[in-house]
Amino acid sequence: MKYIMIHDFSYLFHRRIHLIMLILSIPALLSIFYFHADISFSDWTYLLTGTNLQLKSITILDVIIYLCYQVFYLFLAIDLYLKDLKFHLDYIFCRMSCRKWYLCKISSILLFGSLFKIVEYSFVGVLGSIQFSQVDIELLYSCMWIDLLYAVLGQLLFLLFYLSSYAF
């Protein structure tokens, strides 16, 4: 399991670092865009994290930000899952069973997805402390856990559909 985690970490930060930096720079770019806007910290947090999807006041920018984040986490799951099957299929199952590899790979995907969400929301908290005098940490935590739940659920459902398409 340790080998899979280290290999996935190395793969992400050697091959996908540009995509990771692009996704993590979205809150900084949006905070510059909304710097002089007269909005509350909660609205600002929802705008930066892409979770401002209320049907009564939705804008196209909110939808684009939300879809950008969701597509990134789906791409992360697909990329980490398929890279071993694509490049190292001969060597994977010599060392471990299929079930153990699958559980380790799912754990790795969930760990790195959670890590990126924590870094993203920490960055939003730092930007919020620069722009606002008072930062609501409870709002950041609740928003992060709900967003993390949606991202993990989306990743797992997509992998389930992918696996079930090859099962039949």
Side-chain angles (χ1 to χ4, degrees):
M1 182 167 176
K2 186 170 85 170
Y3 172 76
I4 291 176
M5 297 276 186
I6 292 171
H7 189 66
D8 287 346
F9 181 79
S10 174
Y11 176 77
L12 284 175
F13 287 101
H14 285 106
R15 302 269 174 127
R16 300 292 182 215
I17 191 70
H18 301 301
L19 182 65
I20 292 168
M21 287 297 142
L22 177 70
I23 291 298
L24 293 178
S25 67
I26 288 176
L29 294 173
L30 288 174
S31 68
I32 292 170
F33 183 69
Y34 289 112
F35 186 70
H36 294 293
D38 189 26
I39 56 176
S40 67
F41 177 74
S42 61
D43 292 338
W44 183 81
T45 303
Y46 292 139
L47 287 171
L48 261 60
T49 57
T51 55
N52 190 26
L53 296 177
Q54 300 169 355
L55 292 176
K56 294 180 181 176
S57 64
I58 196 167
T59 63
I60 191 71
L61 184 63
D62 297 334
V63 173
I64 290 171
I65 295 167
Y66 178 76
L67 288 178
C68 183
Y69 282 129
Q70 294 305 319
V71 166
F72 169 72
Y73 288 106
L74 283 178
F75 175 75
L76 177 77
I78 294 166
D79 193 35
L80 287 178
Y81 184 77
L82 292 180
K83 79 168 176 58
D84 286 341
L85 294 178
K86 190 175 180 182
F87 299 116
H88 306 287
L89 186 60
D90 297 338
Y91 304 111
I92 294 172
F93 303 116
C94 292
R95 289 184 224 131
M96 64 180 67
S97 68
C98 183
R99 181 177 184 214
K100 184 176 179 183
W101 176 83
Y102 181 72
L103 291 175
C104 292
K105 187 53 75 170
I106 292 296
S107 300
S108 176
I109 289 169
L110 295 178
L111 176 78
F112 288 118
S114 302
L115 180 71
F116 289 137
K117 280 290 182 193
I118 290 169
V119 169
E120 174 191 341
Y121 277 89
S122 300
F123 190 55
V124 168
V126 168
L127 289 174
S129 67
I130 292 171
Q131 188 167 353
F132 295 95
S133 61
Q134 191 173 12
V135 176
D136 189 8
I137 300 295
E138 291 177 8
L139 174 73
L140 281 175
Y141 283 144
S142 65
C143 191
M144 180 184 71
W145 288 115
I146 291 170
D147 198 16
L148 182 63
L149 179 69
Y150 287 150
V152 165
L153 186 64
Q155 288 174 345
L156 291 177
L157 282 175
F158 192 81
L159 287 175
L160 178 71
F161 290 141
Y162 178 78
L163 290 175
S164 65
S165 69
Y166 283 106
F168 297 108

